[in-house]
């Protein structure tokens, strides 16, 4: 049994839905199909909730369009004999949704709980319709087995309950089951919750892991992981094979091919992941597994980049020898919920730099200045310094560990091309080297590195 | 007015004491002279305290030698007319010390408070004798103005009280005042305390800052900061000028020329520091100030190295996107009192490496495994991994900021010479780049970097 | 200027509303009238919110009745020329309320914020109607000046903002202003909040204190504080005068004449409170002020009783001399939100008893057994012991302080009548003596004490 | 096997030591004898330590007297054949002690560790001498089996280790073993520690419990527990029997017959305790066991009093209904280490009184005023009020539970005699009723209660 996940663009149009039908029906083994909401539907649902809660009556018009789009898709993709019953089902769903939106409109209030209920209609509708499109498929409601518990302002999966419920629901092997991604319910209250944006990948990985699937296929709109970001440079090509670790490193640094948490359940159960393109189904895609590639010629697998970096530096000559500065830095950041994607401390704790998103910079500086208020006042430390409009580049590959001179090649290439390295970090796992440079040097940096590592003769 | 500090080796023999006399008496402005205990005396005092508290009667013999050495020095360096009174003073001091040692011998116990009292006799004696040696000098007792407050198991300077007392004691300008370094007293109880090993440099810096000295001279037994560790490679030479920041970075990484906390008070008041060699007084030494050198040819100032590095890596595919991992890492390390001198996190918080001393490695791994016990058990994280017997090298220089290609040159040199870079870090201040390599590659690494940056033609 | 507050029963019927009109119009000085929602309206609003949120369509019928009742009252009590405009106002309010209830019905959810909005309609409607009934009265919306801040799950008055806003709103003296009690708004968000059940008394006290009213009159449906609970024993009579402290003690122990927090603002500004009966306006009522009564014949003022007491005992021979047991007991109780109305520890901390409501007993025992788990396991402490179905009686009077033998008289009377005293407490303020007895002895106890202190010759 | 403990007065003179010899040698079963230091020796040792650490040489003279007193006792009580060896032993001990005192004199410092070492010589000497006095006795060194662990500034018994070591040391039954009370050693370091003043009783109870002794006899200088404090009133007599709980309650309230922690180990193992008078060995003493007396005529067993009471009241009309006031009161007291022996809260948490020692009053008021600083400033609470120079009286007896009218009789007696009750408390265990009165009414109160409960006909 394998798990296939189709994202929003794969279920965005009549043509693509029929392509999905073809892909699924051609499988040789039994499959579980996880689908996202139709393209852009989730965004529309958030928008509807906003409009209604602000007392803006135009929400009704927008709702009508959304509703009509679902009905229209049914007419084109569902076979005549199932069409009426399917239309009835979706009409009822839309009626329910309409009532909730009306309620919000009347009370002028919007709680996270109701927002979660509203957005769940996207996957509930798409799963119902795709289930009717595919021959022999039946639809399961993911809310019945994906169970969450609250953690701060988020909902996280309760794996013990979820795995038990999945095994219970899927105890009889069925040829094709369709479920909605993203949606879940609270373990205790039964209220509708969700796994966060991009959560459909995660739903698929959870199902695959719970049921020991033979593989997990993520069907999307690109051919796979690329050697570098194709929107920035040309000449990139699809990476054939990655280890789980390599895939994770590339995802962390901006390759939006899959939702990063997806990798862990598959890695943990050693279930290979295949990235496939719904619009180019014969392309081989990228294969992610625990096997390290023996491709001797290639010391690195890919180049990842984050086009939105602010480097923050906490520095203080008066803090030399004081233990606990990093503790205080990262406590302040963690409490403010700020994610850090590169840390570099080249000497003692009196000088630490780290990279955050530009939009987190102001908050980061503020919480650090509060944390070190006393030391700053006494001149022992400087104000936290934020350098914005930078970019981070990472070269990734588990083979780096066995190949000397990678850092020399990387920084030599950059130096020869006059690209300034503002900060760099390479950890002991030697799976990647990251550096920060000016945002406007990003394209050049990617080009020269890509040429150097992937295209040049002496590679 | 300037402050001159003479270390233990500078006051270690009759010859060197007479050299100190010559240096001080030749000054053109009024001076404060801070002296350490005579060479090896502090170690001897610790040893005496240990012996006596263990009930070992041989301490008496060792004490006699120590006492005799002081008396003998007086006979050789103090002019006849002061000799008797000076001998009486030192004899009384030694009598007091003898009684304390006898007390410890009898109760078989040794508290930190008594240890601090005992070790203070080193500087009390040396300051008294040097004050008698130098013409027109008078001796002040530093315990009367350097005041500390307890902080955990240490004593830290209470600057408000200390600065006020220093200004009070030195309100009349005197040509030459001699004080002992290292020693202090508790602000509240008046008990004798000290500023820690190396604290005489710090005493000098505190006095210089409180009195706005024109400069601070640290007289020691080397000619100054060296371009690299002369015990490891040849061809090193003295660095003429450093900025405060550069000096700090070099100190942090093992250049033991001065006690690192010394730099901050001088930097804060912008008082230049000169490193001078008592045994080669005409050598220019190293001059540390806020001026950046304009020496265009030199992109870096020095190479520092730590010959005792363990790299610890905390890694977990299951922690992707989880904020607060660094917070927990550094909380655990700070609570265990572990000092970290390099941090490198090349992607998200699921993979952080940091360098500690080999002797801290076991404790670090233990506290991290306790901190992440639950995550490790669930397979979300790996056990903290310690790679021992490594070395850290840092290249330092504020000019790096304006010079592209430094990283390329550094890592290119290493790569061409087959030296593996296990981890690296460069922070946004671009004052240094640090990397970790095998301990057995250290000499080679220093040689090739030193050649590349300091000796080669195309520099 | 004085403040008059009329409770729900006082505005419960056409007759009583006309009585309120008469009382207010006969005042000699300018007045502020604070009104509760019409009798039972607040309960109905809570019930409507429940019904609607559970999707029970019968809420509509109940809502119609509520709405109709308000309209009908207008027709009977508002003069013809104001009737139409008043009816329009209330109809609009009811329309708004109807929409909110419909919204809740549609989304099947009910947040505290919306509940607070719904219940506010009771006082908004009553204040509007009463303002139209009384000649020359104008209505102010209390939500504009009573401002709250959140504290845990409650809203508490922000006095600084509230007092400033009250003074601003009432800066011109008007003959008669009517405001709704109970309702308020959040200082920051402007969302509707309230002061809790019974909060109308509190609104009146806040206004009286902010404006330094000459007095505060609480018009209710009883003649005042009684010498004992008239539902339990006969022969009780109205207490003419009480001090603030006595009134507070009686309120704390179950005399539900006024909402306890009401007393503090009046006491703080030394504004006398008069309890009056809307249905018997010529009765003198109870007068509460700072004056101590000189009525020599009366050592006590009243008897209060709580017909719902559980006595919990924490005991342990192994805890003798251990400081901090009470700390742990009351920490556990405070964290569990349990209110304690009597504490008695007759020797060291190894034996403490305290009284709570029967419904809190189970939770109290549980949190204490958790707190002392380790000590209980080792036999150093016993399990917390709960004795249920008890009653607490307090005799109250500030004159007790100057009269010896009160405790003897009380316990002698009880002893002679065979009433067992399970626990007792008398604090240093000597304003009351409390004791705990069997629930089934309560009536007898009240009778014999009342006879002894209020009726017997030898009083 | 039983355990006999002899206090300092019982081993204070030649005559009393010979009395101890007679008592022990006349026992019918094997015994363990626990002895205190000779009368006043512990106080003298503390004083010597103080003198020496202050550099006062007169300590030597005082030390000589102490030493001589021990030698002189040996000469009078030890039989000739053992005299020399015993004198040698004690002379050696005194030599050791002399050296330690000399050490302290020289270093002018005194740590708790050395103080504990010094005071241990009292019991080490007395146990050695008493062991030589009694025929067939051998002496064990309690420091080898009573093991403590540090807790804050105190040492508490580690029962697991201690019980195992006791059983190991006493595995062979010996006719008579003598051990010193009070002294112990740290489980980890082996340093000498002790169980606190009065700790010899506790040593005896620990031994009795560990070895399941048949009984524990505490030999002291009074005939047993008295019906009331004989120093205050006449006509008191010895109480024949008490339960453990009654004994504890009487001890808690000032009956200094035994050290309160002594009772728990005996109670826990149900080992009866007998209080005996060394100077009147035929008197029956007081027998403490788990048996409740059936003596119907006596509703109470004894009257206990504390002649040093300050009643503190925390009161605030603005705190009504606020949960957590007690929590904050007792947190502040516990952190300040203040012991509370009576608590009375007669209504809600806005009015709590509690009794402490007069010497704790100032600190208690201070910590409470700090804790409630904000509330006091806003007038919501009053400053904590301390009423000093009071006395606390408790009547104790487990039979009270079954006898109605005790409170009436107590307070009636007090009222008739014009004695003012300032506060009172009776907990649910109904084992005691406590009240606070003026210090100057104490004698009268004890007299009238004692007459009423113990002497009058109508008892």
């Amino acid at each position: 049994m394998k798990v296939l996940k189709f994202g929003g663009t794969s279920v965005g149009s009549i043509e693509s839905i029929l392509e999905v039908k073809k892909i699924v029906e051609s499988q040789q083994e039994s499959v579980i199909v996880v689908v996202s909401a139709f393209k852009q539907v989730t965004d529309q649902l958030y928008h509807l909730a906003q409009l209604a809660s602000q007392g803006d009556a135009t929400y009704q018009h927008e709702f009508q369009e959304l509703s009509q789009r679902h009905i229209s898709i049914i007419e084109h993709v569902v076979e005549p004999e199932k069409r009426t019953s399917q239309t009835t089902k979706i009409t009822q769903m839309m009626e329910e949704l309409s009532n909730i939106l009306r309620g919000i409109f009347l009370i002028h209030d919007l709680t996270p709980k109701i927002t979660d209920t509203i957005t769940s209609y996207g996957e509930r509708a798409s799963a119902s319709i795709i289930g009717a499109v595919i021959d022999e498929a039946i639809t399961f409601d993911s809310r019945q087995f994906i169970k969450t518990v609250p953690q701060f302002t988020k909902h996280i999966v309760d794996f013990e309950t979820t795995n038990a419920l999945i095994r219970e629901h899927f105890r009889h092997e069925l040829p094709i089951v369709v479920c909605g991604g993203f949606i879940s319910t609270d373990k205790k209250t039964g209220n509708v919750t969700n796994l966060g944006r991009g959560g459909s990948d995660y739903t698929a990985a959870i199902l695959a892991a719970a049921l020991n699937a033979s593989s997990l296929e993520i069907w999307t709109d690109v051919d796979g992981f690329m050697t570098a970001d194709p929107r920035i440079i040309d000449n990139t090509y699809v990476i054939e094979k990655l280890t789980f670790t390599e895939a994770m490193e590339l995802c962390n640094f901006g390759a939006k091919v899959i939702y990063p948490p997806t990798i862990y359940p598959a890695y943990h159960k050693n279930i290979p992941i295949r990235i496939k393109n719904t619009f180019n189904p014969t392309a081989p895609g990228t294969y992610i597994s625990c096997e390290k590639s023996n491709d001797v010629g290639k010391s690195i697998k890919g180049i990842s980049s984050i086009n939105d970096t602010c480097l923050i530096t906490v520095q203080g000559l008066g803090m030399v020898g004081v233990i606990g500065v990093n503790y205080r830095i990262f406590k302040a950041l963690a409490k403010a919920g700020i994610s850090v994607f590169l840390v570099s401390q080249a000497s003692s704790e009196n000088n630490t730099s780290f990279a955050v998103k530009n939009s987190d910079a102001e908050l980061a500086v503020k919480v650090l200045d509060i944390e070190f208020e006393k030391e700053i006042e006494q001149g022992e430390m400087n104000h936290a310094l934020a350098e914005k409009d930078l970019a981070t580049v990472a070269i990734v590959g588990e083979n780096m560990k066995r190949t000397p001179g990678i850092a020399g090649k990387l920084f030599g290439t950059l130096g020869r091309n006059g690209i300034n390295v503002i900060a760099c970090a390479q950890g002991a796992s030697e799976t990647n080297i990251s550096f920060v440079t000016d945002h406007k040097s990003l394209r050049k940096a990617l080009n020269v590195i890509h040429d150097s590592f992937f295209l040049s003769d002496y590679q």
Side-chain angles (χ1 to χ4, degrees), chain A:
Chain A
M1 189 273 297
K2 63 183 180 179
V3 176
L4 281 66
K5 183 264 170 179
F6 294 92
T9 50
S10 301
V11 288
S13 67
I14 290 154
E15 296 69 34
S16 66
I17 290 172
L18 294 173
E19 191 60 50
V20 168
K21 176 180 165 70
K22 210 188 307 170
I23 292 165
V24 174
E25 291 175 355
S26 67
Q27 299 297 320
Q28 304 300 314
E29 49 185 321
S30 67
V31 294
I32 297 172
V33 177
V34 176
V35 291
S36 297
F38 292 163
K39 194 175 176 183
Q40 289 175 330
V41 165
T42 304
D43 286 342
Q44 265 182 299
L45 290 168
Y46 279 113
H47 189 234
L48 281 168
Q50 283 303 320
L51 282 181
S53 74
Q54 289 155 9
D56 183 338
T58 66
Y59 86 88
Q60 287 164 326
H61 179 68
E62 195 170 317
F63 169 73
Q64 282 312 322
E65 282 179 358
L66 179 83
S67 178
Q68 194 48 50
R69 181 171 159 217
H70 282 85
I71 300 299
S72 159
I73 284 176
I74 294 170
E75 279 160 15
H76 286 87
V77 297
V78 178
E79 308 224 341
E81 65 272 24
K82 293 190 193 165
R83 204 173 288 161
T84 313
S85 81
Q86 187 58 32
T87 304
T88 307
K89 274 185 201 163
I90 296 300
T91 305
Q92 277 174 345
M93 265 187 210
M94 292 297 153
E95 179 77 18
E96 266 175 59
L97 175 57
S98 165
N99 279 333
I100 294 169
L101 290 168
R102 170 96 187 132
I104 289 165
F105 178 73
L106 290 170
I107 66 170
H108 280 215
D109 195 15
L110 184 59
T111 60
K113 184 181 142 191
I114 291 296
T115 307
D116 286 352
T117 301
I118 290 170
T119 53
S120 75
Y121 281 91
E123 272 76 8
R124 286 158 73 182
S126 70
S128 178
I129 294 169
I130 301 296
V133 169
I134 297 169
D135 289 349
E136 292 191 68
I138 65 163
T139 298
F140 277 7
D141 185 346
S142 305
R143 295 175 303 166
Q144 296 184 327
F145 42 80
I146 307 289
K147 291 290 177 178
T148 61
V149 286
Q151 192 187 57
F152 304 110
T153 59
K154 291 163 64 182
H155 300 284
I156 60 162
V157 174
D158 180 279
F159 276 102
E160 205 178 319
T161 310
T162 297
N163 287 340
L165 285 170
I166 289 172
R167 288 178 197 130
E168 166 69 16
H169 273 79
F170 290 85
R171 67 191 180 284
H172 307 298
E173 189 152 344
L174 295 160
I176 304 174
V177 177
V178 178
C179 337
F182 177 69
I183 58 177
S184 48
T185 43
D186 185 88
K187 180 186 168 184
K188 251 194 181 157
T189 63
N191 291 337
V192 175
T193 58
N194 63 57
L195 306 182
R197 299 305 299 258
S200 287
D201 286 358
Y202 195 33
T203 303
I206 292 165
L207 283 162
L211 298 169
N212 289 306
S214 60
S215 73
L216 167 61
E217 293 183 5
I218 304 290
W219 290 80
T220 180
D221 53 359
V222 294
D223 280 352
F225 279 86
M226 305 300 283
T227 48
D229 190 333
R231 292 165 304 181
I232 304 181
I233 64 166
D234 303 328
N235 297 330
T236 64
Y237 52 85
V238 173
I239 306 167
E240 268 177 57
K241 290 185 175 188
L242 286 172
T243 65
F244 289 114
T245 300
E246 289 166 344
M248 178 68 88
E249 296 289 356
L250 290 170
C251 284
N252 276 334
F253 269 93
K256 298 289 178 212
V257 181
I258 49 175
Y259 183 53
T262 306
I263 296 170
Y264 179 67
Y267 158 78
H268 193 53
K269 285 294 190 75
N270 197 14
I271 299 167
I273 304 173
R274 193 176 286 280
I275 310 299
K276 294 284 287 179
N277 190 346
T278 307
F279 304 97
N280 183 16
T282 56
T286 299
Y287 183 73
I288 304 166
S289 70
C290 61
E291 299 160 34
K292 277 186 202 160
S293 132
N294 290 317
D295 188 346
V296 285
K298 293 280 180 261
S299 52
I300 74 167
K301 285 293 189 59
I303 307 163
S304 201
S305 54
I306 297 183
N307 187 353
D308 170 12
T309 299
C310 174
L311 198 67
I312 295 182
T313 300
V314 176
Q315 198 175 13
L317 275 191
M319 303 305 278
V320 61
V322 179
I323 290 173
V325 177
N326 282 337
Y327 164 42
R328 292 169 62 192
I329 291 173
F330 292 108
K331 181 179 68 179
L333 295 173
K335 296 220 160 154
I338 294 169
S339 189
V340 166
F341 50 84
L342 179 146
V343 180
S344 180
Q345 175 203 307
S347 61
S348 80
E349 296 191 22
N350 66 337
N351 195 334
T352 298
S353 297
F354 55 88
V356 300
K357 284 190 288 181
N358 283 305
S359 58
D360 283 339
E362 212 167 324
L363 178 59
V365 167
K366 195 174 147 192
V367 298
L368 290 168
D369 280 358
I370 291 170
E371 176 65 39
F372 292 104
E373 191 181 7
K374 211 180 122 216
E375 285 85 357
I376 291 168
E377 201 185 290
Q378 299 181 347
E380 292 169 14
M381 271 190 124
N382 304 333
H383 280 281
L385 203 82
E387 203 170 344
K388 283 195 168 186
D389 295 325
L390 306 177
T392 308
V393 178
I395 61 171
V396 172
E398 291 209 61
N399 274 356
M400 282 166 63
K401 190 143 197 157
R402 285 163 295 179
T403 321
I406 299 294
K409 185 169 175 180
L410 171 65
F411 293 112
T413 301
L414 294 170
R416 276 191 305 278
N417 287 281
I419 294 162
N420 199 29
V421 171
I422 297 170
C424 75
Q426 174 204 325
S429 64
E430 291 182 63
T431 305
N432 65 356
I433 304 175
S434 304
F435 66 91
V436 175
T437 188
D438 274 339
H439 179 261
K440 51 178 187 282
S441 306
L442 175 60
R443 179 190 300 267
K444 187 172 177 189
L446 288 187
N447 265 316
V448 299
I449 302 169
H450 198 264
D451 282 4
S452 171
F453 282 94
F454 291 114
L455 303 181
S456 56
D457 292 334
Y458 56 89
Q459 166 60 32

